[in-house]
């Protein structure tokens, strides 16, 4: 009997072992299948994205040719009508739909659209718009692009040929545009314009560019923030989303712990950290070197993001401004938030050798475990592993840089990492002439360096740009660079100079920078509520919101309006006449 019982137990053990082995095999098979499915899904999404970009590029090329022959540009529906069914068009358009404001500070779920720092009546606004023949249109007509535009304009001197006087900026529309349109009315990630003022470094009358600004007081800039990085250990993004299932995320107040102690106006100023590249381009006589340096400058703007994947900048209040006068870099910079729905930030910087302007309107897409931030539909920023501690940022897409004056084109490709790609943060590109002949190649990493070389001599490298190392204590400063650490500093030379709308006076951001999180959270809620009440009072009085220092204008020959600095800020700063500025923070 004992033997029989032993045999039975042995048989049962064998059966159980076989079942466990089969279960393990099945689990491995399911894991392999899941991995293959994810890979196939990612490839499918990538293919759809590339197809969408290709179709938009075709539309942009078609409209460019139409404009040359005096024809009006066409929309995507008209362009693709003969090649795709309406269902296909709807599908591609639906791929562009997204949550617009998930990572912006919450506002009420109103359908209001602030056209963006003074209130005027509807009648005054219509009268101004009619008299301008093209300025800021009514809200229904002010739609430009697809809520997806980032435009950067750079004006640099281009050396003249012997005996040839270059056209002036005020009278010529022949420009060099960096980052051609991805579609009609949609500007690419680094849309830069190189317009042609009189030849540089010659006496051609009074310069229209400002003299290099001089600080009244010598100041010692700070090397660290007042308090170390605030911990996010007790914060769960997943729990935030779980508690707000079914809600519009743009109406959900995100915890202040998701922020870093700068805002989007200051984030735009970070683009100028390596402005010496534009200075070098302005001094170069070689058009190939110029476009290569501009390309390196366009890439350098991403370097400051490498150690900052976990947090977002503060969303400025409507009418909030920020100035930066950098004597050592030789420029002065002004930014303003001109619209809240959709959120649009505009900036303008000027130097003795160049002008820089940019407007930024972000669009976001949420993919479950990753978040895409798309400023223009080309170079996309993606936050990977949103719900884990292993979050990191990745940039991928194509940046087109074209110089109409010389006919040169540079295409910079930000490569996306993946299962079969070992290199990270890689950027490659080339400069070609109007005949498609490759003149020079560019290569590097957006967080490290960009080099120039000829394909015939690939080992003969010329360094165009190298990122400056972050401070050794950058983890205790939200991953900031030394340049970023200085942006929110209120130095003695600014006393009595700044308008009350300047970001440096924003109390919730200042408290958060000092590590006083609970006080900062309360101030943030108070400021947002004050903004809501101000907007409601304006709406009840029939008033609309217009920017104080920028205006939306249609350039000659342009398909869509763009933001221009209309002047007045630096003159008021000099005279100390900011007393009529908005009271945003008290």
């Amino acid at each position: 009997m004992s033997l029989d019982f032993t045999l039975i137990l042995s048989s049962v053990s064998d059966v159980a072992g076989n079942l466990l082995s089969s279960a393990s095999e099945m689990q491995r098979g399911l894991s392999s299948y899941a991995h293959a499915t994810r890979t196939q899904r990612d490839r499918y999404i990538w293919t759809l994205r590339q197809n969408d970009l290709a179709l938009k590029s075709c539309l942009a090329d078609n409209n460019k040719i139409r404009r040359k022959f005096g024809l009006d540009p066409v929309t995507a529906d008209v362009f693709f009508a003969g090649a795709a069914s309406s269902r296909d068009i709807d599908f591609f358009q639906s791929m562009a739909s997204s949550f617009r404001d998930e990572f912006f500070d919450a506002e009420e779920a109103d359908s209001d659209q602030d056209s963006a720092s003074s209130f005027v009546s509807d009648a005054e606004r219509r009268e101004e718009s009619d008299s301008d023949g093209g300025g800021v249109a009514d809200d229904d007509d002010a739609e430009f692009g697809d809520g997806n535009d980032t435009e950067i304009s750079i004006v640099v001197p281009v050396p003249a040929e012997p005996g040839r006087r270059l056209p002036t900026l005020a009278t010529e529309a022949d420009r060099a545009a960096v980052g051609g349109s991805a579609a009609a009315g949609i500007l690419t990630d680094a849309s830069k314009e190189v317009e042609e003022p009189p030849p540089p470094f010659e006496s051609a009358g009074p310069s229209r560019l400002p003299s290099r600004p001089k600080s009244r007081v010598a100041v010692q800039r700070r090397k660290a923030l007042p308090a170390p990085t605030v911990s996010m250990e007790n914060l769960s993004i997943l729990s935030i989303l779980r508690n707000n299932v079914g809600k519009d995320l743009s109406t959900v107040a995100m915890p202040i712990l998701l922020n870093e102690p700068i805002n989007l106006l200051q984030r735009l100023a970070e683009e100028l950290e390596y402005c010496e590249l534009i200075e070098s381009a302005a001094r170069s006589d070689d058009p190939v070197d110029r476009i290569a340096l501009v390309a390196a400058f366009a890439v350098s703007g991403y370097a400051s993001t490498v150690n900052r994947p976990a947090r977002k900048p503060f969303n400025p209040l409507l009418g909030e401004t920020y100035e930066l006068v950098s004597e050592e870099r030789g420029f002065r910079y002004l930014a303003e938030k001109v619209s809240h729905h959709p959120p649009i930030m505009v900036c303008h910087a000027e130097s003795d050798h160049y002008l820089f302007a940019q407007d930024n309107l972000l669009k976001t897409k949420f993919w479950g475990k990753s978040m895409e931030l798309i400023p223009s539909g080309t170079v996309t920023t993606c936050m990977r592993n949103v719900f884990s501690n292993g979050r990191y940022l990745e940039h991928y897409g194509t940046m087109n840089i074209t110089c109409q004056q010389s006919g040169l084109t540079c295409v910079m490709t930000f490569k996306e990492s993946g299962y079969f790609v070992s290199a990270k943060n890689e950027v490659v590109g080339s400069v070609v002439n109007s005949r498609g002949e490759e003149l020079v190649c560019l290569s590097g990493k957006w967080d490290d360096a960009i080099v120039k070389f000829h394909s015939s001599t690939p080992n003969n490298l010329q360094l165009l740009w190298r990122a400056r190392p972050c401070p050794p204590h950058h983890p205790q400063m939200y991953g900031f660079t030394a340049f970023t650490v200085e942006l929110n500093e209120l130095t003695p030379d600014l006393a009595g100079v700044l308008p009350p709308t300047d970001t440096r006076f924003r109390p919730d951001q200042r408290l958060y920078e000092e590590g006083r999180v609970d006080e900062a959270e309360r101030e943030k809620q108070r400021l947002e509520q004050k903004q809501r009440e101000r907007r409601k009072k304006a709406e009840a009085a029939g008033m609309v919101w217009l920017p104080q220092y920028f205006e939306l204008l249609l350039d000659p020959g342009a398909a869509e309006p763009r933001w221009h600095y209309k002047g007045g800020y630096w003159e008021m700063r000099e005279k100390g006449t900011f007393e009529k500025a908005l009271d945003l923070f008290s």
Side-chain angles (χ1 to χ4, degrees):
M1 178 67 96
S2 174
L3 181 59
D4 293 339
F5 184 71
T6 302
L7 290 174
I8 292 173
L9 288 178
S10 178
S11 299
V12 171
S13 177
D14 291 341
V15 171
N18 291 334
L19 289 175
L20 289 174
S21 178
S22 299
S24 298
E25 179 111 14
M26 184 179 297
Q27 186 177 10
R28 285 193 295 270
L30 289 174
S31 299
S32 177
Y33 174 76
H35 176 76
T37 301
R38 285 194 300 270
T39 302
Q40 185 176 5
R41 180 202 62 190
D42 292 344
R43 290 177 180 174
Y44 175 68
I45 293 173
W46 181 87
T47 301
L48 288 177
R49 186 183 297 120
Q50 296 303 313
N51 289 342
D52 191 33
L53 292 175
L55 290 173
K56 289 181 180 179
S57 179
C58 290
L59 176 61
D61 293 340
N62 175 75
N63 284 330
K64 185 177 181 181
I65 294 173
R66 291 178 66 88
R67 291 190 189 97
K68 287 185 178 180
F69 287 94
L71 301 176
D72 293 332
V74 297
T75 63
D77 291 347
V78 175
F79 180 71
F80 298 127
S85 66
S86 60
R87 184 177 65 179
D88 295 331
I89 296 173
D90 292 340
F91 171 75
F92 280 108
Q93 290 177 343
S94 69
M95 289 298 295
S97 65
S98 65
F99 299 113
R100 182 179 300 280
D101 295 329
E102 293 123 317
F103 269 45
F104 288 97
D105 295 334
E107 280 295 319
E108 293 180 330
D110 299 335
S111 59
D112 62 316
Q113 291 187 5
D114 304 328
S115 71
S117 330
S118 57
F119 284 111
V120 298
S121 68
D122 286 331
E124 292 172 329
R125 188 167 179 255
R126 284 193 295 270
E127 180 180 351
E128 179 182 341
S129 178
D130 293 340
S131 64
D132 289 344
V136 181
D138 289 339
D139 284 344
D140 292 339
D141 301 324
E143 225 175 88
F144 57 101
D146 67 344
N148 187 18
D149 299 328
T150 295
E151 179 178 357
I152 305 174
S153 297
I154 301 176
V155 183
V156 299
V158 180
E161 298 174 1
R164 173 175 174 265
R165 180 73 171 179
L166 289 179
T168 63
L169 172 65
T171 60
E172 283 296 320
D174 181 24
R175 304 164 180 174
V178 177
S181 296
I186 302 175
L187 299 172
T188 59
D189 178 68
S191 177
K192 301 183 175 67
E193 294 184 356
V194 182
E195 306 181 20
E196 302 177 3
F201 319 123
E202 293 182 6
S203 177
S207 172
R208 65 181 200 85
L209 295 178
S211 301
R212 175 166 297 192
K214 297 294 184 182
S215 299
R216 294 180 300 172
V217 182
V219 296
Q220 184 68 32
R221 304 310 302 265
R222 66 185 184 184
K223 305 299 181 183
L225 296 177
T229 301
V230 175
S231 173
M232 296 177 63
E233 289 182 0
N234 298 323
L235 177 67
S236 171
I237 300 178
L238 183 59
S239 65
I240 296 171
L241 298 180
R242 185 188 302 117
N243 293 334
N244 293 280
V245 171
K247 296 182 181 179
D248 180 0
L249 290 181
S250 65
T251 68
V252 176
M254 294 293 180
I256 201 170
L257 287 175
L258 287 175
N259 289 65
E260 58 185 9
I262 65 167
N263 76 4
L264 286 168
L265 301 178
Q266 295 165 320
R267 178 65 188 89
L268 291 180
E270 288 186 272
E271 304 282 339
L272 289 166
E273 180 171 359
Y274 297 96
C275 61
E276 64 270 15
L277 294 169
I278 317 177
E279 297 273 359
S280 298
R283 289 179 168 84
S284 175
D285 295 328
D286 187 339
V288 176
D289 286 344
R290 283 200 301 271
I291 195 171
L293 287 165
V294 170
F297 171 77
V299 173
S300 71
Y302 296 90
S304 63
T305 67
V306 65
N307 296 310
R308 295 156 62 182
R311 305 175 193 252
K312 68 181 186 70
F314 277 76
N315 185 23
L317 300 175
L318 185 60
E320 188 172 336
T321 63
Y322 177 74
E323 74 158 62
L324 176 63
V325 178
S326 179
E327 181 178 343
E328 61 275 16
R329 291 176 172 85
F331 70 80
R332 61 185 187 183
Y333 165 96
L334 173 66
E336 178 183 0
K337 183 170 184 179
V338 297
S339 173
H340 192 69
H341 290 298
I344 301 176
M345 276 59 65
V346 185
C347 69
H348 175 90
E350 45 192 36
S351 163
D352 289 337
H353 304 137
Y354 63 85
L355 293 179
F356 173 92
Q358 178 178 6
D359 61 72
N360 179 283
L361 195 160
L362 283 174
K363 172 174 149 182
T364 63
K365 292 183 181 179
F366 183 65
W367 296 99
K369 291 186 178 180
S370 63
M371 173 79 70
E372 285 187 333
L373 308 176
I374 311 171
S376 65
T378 52
V379 176
T380 296
T381 296
C382 184
M383 180 188 292
R384 305 287 191 188
N385 302 329
V386 173
F387 303 123
S388 71
N389 293 327
R391 285 185 291 271
Y392 66 95
L393 291 181
E394 188 176 10
H395 306 290
Y396 47 81
T398 301
M399 179 187 297
N400 298 306
I401 305 169
T402 302
C403 178
Q404 295 178 356
Q405 193 269 340
S406 65
L408 300 181
T409 300
C410 179
V411 179
M412 300 296 291
T413 300
F414 289 64
K415 292 189 175 182
E416 183 177 5
S417 63
Y419 296 111
F420 306 106
V421 179
S422 58
K424 287 187 177 181
N425 307 342
E426 188 175 359
V427 183
V428 295
S430 62
V431 177
V432 299
N433 58 23
S434 57
R435 298 183 298 274
E437 300 169 342
E438 184 180 86
L439 303 179
V440 70
C441 298
L442 303 175
S443 181
K445 293 185 176 183
W446 54 259
D447 63 329
D448 183 20
I450 295 294
V451 297
K452 180 180 70 172
F453 61 94
H454 294 277
S455 57
S456 58
T457 57
N459 294 326
N460 186 13
L461 305 178
Q462 178 184 349
L463 181 66
L464 294 177
W465 162 77
R466 180 176 295 281
R468 288 181 276 272
C470 286
H473 52 295
H474 70 81
Q476 286 76 49
M477 303 190 306
Y478 301 87
F480 287 175
T481 65
F483 179 73
T484 308
V485 168
E486 300 175 356
L487 293 180
N488 201 47
E489 184 179 13
L490 193 55
T491 53
D493 60 313
L494 298 176
V497 173
L498 298 176
T501 55
D502 194 272
T503 295
R504 296 176 181 87
F505 297 129
R506 180 166 172 166
D508 56 343
Q509 185 173 325
R510 180 65 62 187
L511 289 168
Y512 188 66
E513 181 186 78
E514 295 171 354
R516 299 156 66 182
V517 179
D518 293 338
E519 296 174 73
E521 185 73 68
R522 289 193 292 270
E523 274 298 305
K524 178 174 176 288
Q525 295 174 5
R526 183 186 68 84
L527 293 176
E528 290 172 355
Q529 181 60 31
K530 182 180 179 180
Q531 179 172 237
R532 297 186 191 107
E533 294 172 355
R534 183 168 57 249
R535 184 175 66 245
K536 287 182 178 180
K537 289 180 181 179
E539 290 173 350
M543 311 294 281
V544 293
W545 186 259
L546 291 177
Q548 193 169 18
Y549 307 112
F550 293 88
E551 56 187 346
L552 193 62
L553 298 175
L554 186 65
D555 291 334
E560 301 293 339
R562 51 173 289 202
W563 291 97
H564 292 261
Y565 172 59
K566 62 182 181 182
Y569 178 88
W570 301 107
E571 291 77 9
M572 284 189 285
R573 186 185 193 271
E574 184 70 23
K575 297 176 182 178
T577 56
F578 284 129
E579 62 273 5
K580 295 182 180 180
L582 294 171
D583 178 18
L584 298 178
F585 307 136
S586 65

